[in-house]
Amino acid sequence: MTSANGVLGFPEGFAWGSATAAYQIEGAVSIDGRGPSVWDTFSHAPGNVRGGDTGDIACDSYHRYREDVALMASLGLKAYRFSISWPRVQPGGRGPANPKGLDYYRALLDELGEHGIEATVTLYHWDLPQELQDDGGWEARDTAERFAEYAALCAEALSDRVARWITLNEPQVVANNGYRHGQHAPGLRDADAAAAATHHLLLGHGLATQALRAQGPAEVGITLDLHPIRILGDGHPGDLEQARLITDAMVNGIYLEPVLYGRYPVHAPAAMLPAPALVADGDLATINQPLDFLGINYYSPIFLRAGDPADLRRNEEPARSEVPGVVEYRPDELERTTMGWLVDADGLHEILLEVSKQAPGLPLYITENGRAAEDYVNPRGEVDDIERVRYLHTHLEAAARAIKDGVSLAGYFVWSLLDNFEWAWGYQKRFGIVYVDFGTQRRIPKSSARFYSEVAQANAVPSLPATWPR
Ligand code: FCB
């Protein structure tokens, strides 16, 4: 795989793509019959999103999809992961499809097809129809059933144009940020609601997978955000190891184990698990559908060390596991992005190996990986995002190493194609390989877009010039 000049080759047919999500890029929120979603409601309520930003216009991709597809094609990208806005297809989350909503996605898929770009389609990237939220959202079991009906409508109309379906994006973030801690829509701070949402999201995944398969052959998977849990310091006293097991269950296992094995993890705190009355007979078997692939979003690991949560030191935070004598810690030596997220490419290698140990042979896709940076247009009119180039380089190196170590990694989708609406951070955080001037909607490919384009076209990661900062 590694040639003499340090170039890392990838397997033939490896999918090189970029990723986006409907609410983050489409705009056009009240056009062609689209209903409101929880993110419209949440972003319009004062105080929820930095600067009062909303997705009302975003990247205006609803109108500019042809330009965006042409951009991907010009970069030599062969795969695109986007999401369908549920309230475009079913404005209130129930009943017959809104034909104009489906027309839009059909047109987008046709445009992709004409440019030889394969589509990976996420059905739920967080924009629940507001009417379903009014009836309880994911706290209500009915939402899982509605989700399966919506999945069936999408499959019936679009499956001939879709290579791969992803049911949910990051249910962990929906349950924790949306229902437990309130930074995301619907903005609840309610532990019981979060535990119920966890179960109903997973059930929705299982039911939607069945519904997609009932419409004919389809590749179906789910995307989970996975985080390696690392222990800092020498030796692993029992309480640190216990904290590692609990933290891993809280952020990874609660989603991974039901999906892969049909059970909730033994180390998960009881308060995070659905009340027994919510788990009907057969639910876990429904959740445990055979998968064609698993999508992994990787950004950062979680570090634990011995410490006193009542007397925190610099870079320490109370441990979510609440194990006495343990704190979470952000090592000084690791770079942080403008989100405050730690940069640690080895974590990607680690999580890929861990998942392939847990699900031997299951094809894996990195469905998101990328970083925010302080991007700006320089006087030459260019955006020279060297931090992002270096980030992509080190993470792709880690991915290549994982493949060499036996992981069946089939593709990589950089987050994101475009700078976009970064949820509670609004437009303050830029993740794109393409810069978006939100005033004019002009797209400017950054240095990282050129670097990534080279990778995609060569199916290999070149070594960086020695002059690049490491
Ligand atoms: C992930 C989300 C994605 C984007 C990135 C930065 O958690 O799936 O929409 O916001 O983070």
Side-chain angles (χ1 to χ4, degrees):
M1 299 250 307
T2 313
S3 69
N5 55 3
V7 173
L8 293 169
F10 276 71
E12 213 184 301
F14 191 83
W16 292 105
S18 65
T20 62
Y23 190 71
Q24 295 181 276
I25 66 161
E26 285 179 357
V29 291
S30 41
I31 286 176
D32 291 342
R34 178 188 181 278
S37 79
V38 290
W39 268 96
D40 295 286
T41 310
F42 186 77
S43 65
H44 278 268
N48 284 338
V49 177
R50 275 283 176 107
D53 290 345
T54 72
D56 287 3
I57 299 173
C59 307
D60 195 30
S61 292
Y62 190 77
H63 297 114
R64 293 168 197 265
Y65 68 91
R66 286 194 190 85
E67 182 187 340
D68 292 339
V69 172
L71 194 53
M72 288 181 242
S74 74
L75 295 174
L77 303 184
K78 291 284 184 323
Y80 182 43
R81 170 181 179 234
F82 67 92
S83 82
I84 294 183
S85 157
W86 186 349
R88 275 195 206 289
V89 172
Q90 282 180 306
R94 322 182 142 79
N98 164 30
K100 287 196 169 162
L102 289 174
D103 284 350
Y104 169 66
Y105 293 107
R106 218 177 267 118
L108 169 61
L109 286 162
D110 284 346
E111 194 72 16
L112 289 165
E114 278 161 29
H115 286 80
I117 300 172
E118 180 186 82
T120 293
V121 179
T122 309
L123 286 166
Y124 186 71
H125 203 127
W126 306 354
D127 44 358
L128 189 76
Q130 181 60 44
E131 279 185 33
L132 291 186
Q133 187 61 44
D134 297 341
D135 290 340
W138 289 108
E139 211 180 328
R141 188 177 176 95
D142 183 60
T143 298
E145 316 257 352
R146 300 286 71 74
F147 181 59
E149 276 177 22
Y150 152 68
L153 289 178
C154 291
E156 199 187 338
L158 307 172
S159 61
D160 53 335
R161 295 159 166 91
V162 172
R164 213 160 289 114
W165 295 99
I166 292 173
T167 54
L168 304 176
N169 178 68
E170 299 189 351
Q172 185 274 132
V173 174
V174 178
N176 282 320
N177 295 23
Y179 288 75
R180 191 182 313 276
H181 301 303
Q183 313 95 320
H184 282 184
L188 301 183
R189 291 188 173 81
D190 179 336
D192 292 341
T198 296
H199 187 65
H200 297 140
L201 283 156
L202 286 164
L203 185 64
H205 156 74
L207 293 171
T209 303
Q210 291 174 335
L212 291 165
R213 293 219 168 103
Q215 296 291 331
E219 272 195 46
V220 185
I222 183 171
T223 278
L224 303 179
D225 57 305
L226 297 177
H227 310 260
I229 317 296
R230 302 255 185 84
I231 297 180
L232 278 179
D234 294 335
H236 292 179
D239 45 0
L240 271 173
E241 179 55 18
Q242 184 64 11
R244 192 186 66 76
L245 292 170
I246 296 174
T247 312
D248 184 44
M250 290 171 83
V251 300
N252 301 318
I254 278 194
Y255 300 91
L256 206 47
E257 292 195 29
V259 164
L260 293 181
Y261 312 122
R263 60 165 196 243
Y264 281 109
V266 289
H267 294 288
M272 288 187 76
L273 296 177
L278 296 179
V279 184
D281 279 353
D283 278 6
L284 283 156
T286 303
I287 295 168
N288 177 217
Q289 294 301 304
L291 295 181
D292 297 297
F293 66 92
L294 181 72
I296 297 174
N297 292 355
Y298 174 72
Y299 292 98
S300 284
I302 295 170
F303 290 89
L304 307 176
R305 73 174 186 184
D308 180 359
D311 183 17
L312 293 172
R313 303 300 143 122
R314 201 164 65 85
N315 293 337
E316 289 184 351
E317 281 167 47
R320 69 198 83 192
S321 64
E322 294 181 7
V323 171
V326 176
V327 293
E328 294 187 14
Y329 175 73
R330 296 201 277 173
D332 253 344
E333 54 281 13
L334 290 180
E335 186 186 350
R336 294 180 194 191
T337 72
T338 53
M339 298 289 282
W341 297 357
L342 297 170
V343 176
D344 185 351
D346 287 341
L348 176 60
H349 177 261
E350 190 176 328
I351 208 71
L352 289 170
L353 260 74
E354 180 56 35
V355 173
S356 31
K357 205 162 75 193
Q358 292 191 32
L362 181 66
L364 307 179
Y365 287 85
I366 298 167
T367 41
E368 285 181 31
N369 176 240
R371 66 166 290 164
E374 292 289 354
D375 301 318
Y376 62 95
V377 184
N378 71 21
R380 289 189 304 277
E382 296 159 356
V383 182
D384 197 14
D385 57 339
I386 55 173
E387 305 91 334
R388 188 172 289 102
V389 173
R390 191 179 43 164
Y391 181 100
L392 295 180
H393 190 265
T394 53
H395 286 75
L396 292 174
E397 237 169 21
R401 234 184 320 127
I403 295 173
K404 197 162 117 260
D405 293 340
V407 171
S408 14
L409 185 66
Y412 176 95
F413 294 81
V414 65
W415 184 271
S416 180
L417 176 68
L418 302 169
D419 292 338
N420 59 46
F421 176 80
E422 179 45 36
W423 309 113
W425 292 95
Y427 300 98
Q428 317 267 329
K429 304 292 180 198
R430 294 180 178 271
F431 272 90
I433 57 170
V434 174
Y435 185 91
V436 177
D437 175 344
F438 291 103
T440 61
Q441 292 295 348
R442 194 168 149 227
R443 275 82 162 131
I444 306 173
K446 305 176 190 177
S447 295
S448 57
R450 277 186 286 279
F451 168 76
Y452 190 56
S453 166
E454 223 183 282
V455 169
Q457 294 184 61
N459 196 30
V461 179
S463 50
L464 287 183
T467 50
W468 283 76
R470 297 289 297 179

